[in-house]
Amino acid sequence: MEQPTSEEAIHRGRALVLADLTADGLAGPKEVSMLEKAVSHRRWWSDQWPEGAVFVPGLLAQDMQDAILEQHGRWPLCPLCEAAPEGEPHALDLEPELGEDPRWVCGVTGREVAPLGSLADARG
């Protein structure tokens, strides 16, 4: 796989995270502003470490999990377990934490839910 440029990775990551925010109805002005702040930070980060550009999409998603937690609570909620009466709703984990091709995974069952950017398919 060819190494993306930092800017390509930033744009790809922004699009993937925005798709997942949209899937959960969290793509309003406040959330998009939070995403732009994360993009700005990761642009600096990837300029410092160009070889790490492939990690940017996953890092942006994790940045947004932290930002959304402060504003709305856990995100994205696990569609596999959220209806379970005995379990408290929990957020999906992103795996690998620092790696290529991140995907949303249920931390309880270990089952893959969707690749980053494809939560709409998992919600359908």
Side-chain angles (χ1 to χ4, degrees), residues 45-119:
W45 182 89
S46 64
D47 286 345
Q48 303 305 305
W49 187 37
E51 300 82 23
V54 295
F55 306 140
V56 168
L59 291 170
L60 283 172
Q62 291 173 35
D63 292 343
M64 286 307 294
Q65 280 189 297
D66 293 342
I68 295 290
L69 180 62
E70 293 177 15
Q71 297 293 319
H72 299 288
R74 295 177 185 104
W75 174 81
L77 291 179
C78 178
L80 304 176
C81 300
E82 66 185 6
E86 69 280 350
E88 187 172 316
H90 61 275
L92 294 170
D93 296 330
L94 201 65
E95 291 185 6
E97 286 187 30
L98 187 62
E100 296 181 50
D101 302 319
R103 58 201 174 279
W104 295 112
V105 175
C106 173
V108 173
T109 66
R111 290 179 47 201
E112 182 175 330
V113 173
L116 178 63
S118 298
L119 275 180

Side-chain angles (χ1 to χ4, degrees), residues 2-12 46-47 50-54 56:
E2 187 176 320
Q3 176 78 13
T5 66
S6 294
E7 205 56 32
E8 289 169 341
I10 289 285
H11 288 292
R12 179 175 179 269
S46 64
D47 286 345
E51 300 82 23
V54 295
V56 168

Side-chain angles (χ1 to χ4, degrees), residues 9-65:
I10 289 285
H11 288 292
R12 179 175 179 269
R14 182 188 183 283
L16 293 172
V17 173
L18 188 56
D20 285 348
L21 289 170
T22 300
D24 285 344
L26 292 172
K30 183 183 270 187
E31 293 84 11
V32 172
S33 291
M34 290 187 294
L35 178 56
E36 293 306 323
K37 183 177 178 180
V39 163
S40 177
H41 172 73
R42 290 303 172 183
R43 180 172 281 121
W44 175 89
W45 182 89
S46 64
D47 286 345
Q48 303 305 305
W49 187 37
E51 300 82 23
V54 295
F55 306 140
V56 168
L59 291 170
L60 283 172
Q62 291 173 35
D63 292 343
M64 286 307 294
Q65 280 189 297

